[in-house]
Amino acid sequence: MTESVRARLSDSLVTATNAEKAIANYMLANLNGLPFETSATLAAKVGVSEPTVGRFCRSLGYARFKDLKADLRDNIGDRPWLVGDRLKEFRERNLEGDMLARSLDLEIAALVRIYEIAHTKEWKRAVKRLATMPKVFAAGFQTERGMAQYFANQLQYLRPDVSLADVAGGNFHEILMAPPKSACLVLFEARRYSQLALSLAREARKAKIPITLITDAFCDWGHDLADEMFVVPTEFDMFWESTAQMASLGNLLLNSIFNELGVSVEKRMNNVSELHGRFTGYVGE
């Protein structure tokens, strides 16, 4: 069953090699898409050999990758997600054949996976910290910087002392020199991973600053550095990998923080909104 496979994969990360971590992370992020994969396609996507996939499956207790998929099938069926009549109609009238329909299935499966993450103990721990820690920093580099900024700006409506990491300063002192137990870090990152992200995560780990990492299925260094690593599917058979679901996870995280803080945040939200109206303004006012 899905939970059985997920538990085996999660447990394997404790002693896994780098190649095994890469396979496990990919599988964890794409459980609902595994029925589409073969050991050859999986190996190509993760960047390992096909025999390595087979050995990893045997280490989990499966004779082969096909047996692992069979363990999933009873729970999720032969497709990543069972679409309703409206989505079925979309499939049938799609002028570009099955390509967009398959991408749609994979995106729906990814969204379901994100909501599953929100029921984990790691999620609850991260939410508690982000609601109560004196300072919260968000960081992202390359194309993920926009996600980090959006997350920080939205979280500022809910609580004080939230900042986007200062890239221009070149040293991240505002994070790394924060007093003990006063700051935490939310890091958005996807491959090709920025050296800045890895270096910041390493230094934050040394400084005992808790890290919540939101990343893709191919990150093989995150589990060694982050307190929570939320793995988001990014492969939807498109020209580029899509990190859109990272934004969805960020929104869900903001919602959970709001629920953790309670209705007391309403006054702050109103005050911030009023200030926004004074300086930036809204259409129609």
Side-chain angles (χ1 to χ4, degrees), residues 19-20 22-24 26-27 34 37-60 62-66 68:
E20 290 170 341
I23 297 170
Y26 181 87
M27 287 185 172
L34 287 183
E37 304 288 0
T38 65
S39 57
T41 61
L42 178 62
K45 287 180 177 179
V46 178
V48 298
S49 68
E50 193 172 349
T52 300
V53 173
R55 285 194 297 272
F56 176 67
C57 290
R58 288 192 290 276
S59 74
L60 296 178
Y62 300 103
R64 51 189 175 173
F65 180 50
K66 186 175 181 180
L68 184 150

Side-chain angles (χ1 to χ4, degrees), residues 129-130 133-138 151 155 159 161-163 184 186:
R129 182 189 309 121
L130 293 171
M133 187 70 79
K135 294 180 181 292
V136 176
F137 292 95
F151 181 81
L155 188 54
R159 52 151 297 161
D161 295 313
V162 178
S163 303
C184 60
V186 181

Side-chain angles (χ1 to χ4, degrees), residues 3 53 64 66 70-72 107 109 121 144 157 169 179 190 199 213 223 240 258 285:
E3 285 306 318
V53 173
R64 51 189 175 173
K66 186 175 181 180
D71 200 9
L72 287 169
E107 288 220 57
K121 65 178 185 296
E144 290 73 49
Y157 275 83
S199 298
L213 174 62
H223 277 289
W240 267 331
F258 171 83
E285 287 189 350

